[in-house]
Amino acid sequence: ELPYDNGEIKKDWFYECFVEFQKRAGVYNSQFFTPTKTAERIAEIVYEYAEFDERILDACCGFGQITSALKRKGYGQIEAFDNDKKMCYAYFDLTGIDARFFDFTNEDETFANKYNLIVSNPPYEVKELTKFLEFVDEHLNETGKAILLIPSGFLDKQRPANLVRVLNKFFIQLREPMKEKFERTGIFAEIIVLSK
């Protein structure tokens, strides 16, 4: 049975469950779940860049920490995808929004929409994050913004060449250190805002 607080599911319940899961199974597939305060900070930054009637894509949505923070801010036009079917089911349970099962690393899969705003805590391996930034470049409107949670210093990398090429497609609008730590990892991250 889900824990309730004043008639609503407790805000951090899903997060606490997944952290416990990581404690038992270990971190895998870059599943560094977004802590609640960091998700709230991302939602605050979204508030500075987006209108309430804009469609927002929560890419690599996980179980919905960022979307939940956006919904608490009043945003309702949210779409999402993840490459883990279990995460898609958990995302729906937490947010009430259907998440599309989609693997951005698979060149045979197609994703047609473009967005003015993309938010994400994507996978952190260099190869996957490079592919993710290519996805963002392809699916972000010319005047759009991407608000991402990525490893500290990733934007400063000078190689591999493929990564540098895709990083050079963006302007950095904001760079802010993450004030929390990910559970069960030594990874430090920063919130960034990119434009084309």
Side-chain angles (χ1 to χ4, degrees):
E1 186 174 322
L2 295 175
Y4 285 86
D5 184 13
N6 295 328
E8 293 189 8
I9 297 174
K10 285 171 112 177
K11 183 168 73 171
D12 290 338
W13 184 79
F14 267 69
Y15 180 72
E16 290 168 7
C17 285
F18 278 98
V19 166
E20 182 63 25
F21 172 75
Q22 282 186 331
K23 183 178 176 182
R24 296 175 185 181
V27 177
Y28 64 97
N29 294 334
S30 284
Q31 288 185 331
F32 304 119
F33 300 123
T34 310
T36 303
K37 287 181 184 175
T38 298
E40 298 286 351
R41 178 61 188 137
I42 291 171
E44 288 172 6
I45 294 169
V46 167
Y47 187 78
E48 298 171 19
Y49 288 97
E51 303 295 330
F52 280 112
D53 59 351
E54 278 191 79
R55 279 184 319 138
I56 298 171
L57 175 65
D58 187 347
C60 306
C61 61
F63 60 88
Q65 282 285 85
I66 296 174
T67 290
S68 296
L70 289 170
K71 286 181 73 176
R72 287 192 288 275
K73 276 279 186 198
Y75 289 94
Q77 298 270 353
I78 303 168
E79 298 174 20
F81 76 77
D82 201 275
N83 67 349
D84 183 331
K85 285 185 180 177
K86 290 179 183 174
M87 288 292 129
C88 292
Y89 297 137
Y91 179 89
F92 178 79
D93 288 340
L94 182 62
T95 67
I97 299 169
D98 280 318
R100 176 179 172 178
F101 172 67
F102 173 73
D103 183 358
F104 65 87
T105 66
N106 185 345
E107 295 176 5
D108 294 331
E109 292 193 48
T110 57
F111 196 97
N113 295 343
K114 290 203 171 208
Y115 299 86
N116 278 330
L117 192 66
I118 296 173
V119 297
S120 183
N121 176 7
Y124 286 179
E125 287 89 359
V126 171
K127 186 177 179 182
E128 285 196 348
L129 190 41
T130 301
K131 282 190 170 291
F132 179 78
L133 289 170
E134 289 170 346
F135 171 89
V136 170
D137 179 52
E138 185 179 345
H139 295 281
L140 193 64
N141 288 330
E142 288 303 316
T143 58
K145 303 284 187 297
I147 302 173
L148 312 176
L149 186 62
I150 66 166
S152 297
F154 193 86
L155 292 177
D156 304 318
K157 286 187 178 289
Q158 299 300 311
R159 56 183 179 275
N162 212 28
L163 169 63
V164 174
R165 177 189 55 77
V166 73
L167 285 175
N168 286 336
K169 294 183 176 187
F170 298 101
F171 292 105
I172 303 167
Q173 303 287 330
L174 176 75
R175 218 171 154 172
E176 179 181 300
M178 179 181 172
K179 293 183 174 58
E180 297 174 281
K181 291 182 180 178
F182 291 114
E183 298 285 346
R184 316 287 170 214
T185 79
I187 298 288
F188 290 91
E190 58 187 344
I191 301 169
I192 63 168
V193 179
L194 300 178
S195 62
K196 294 179 84 169

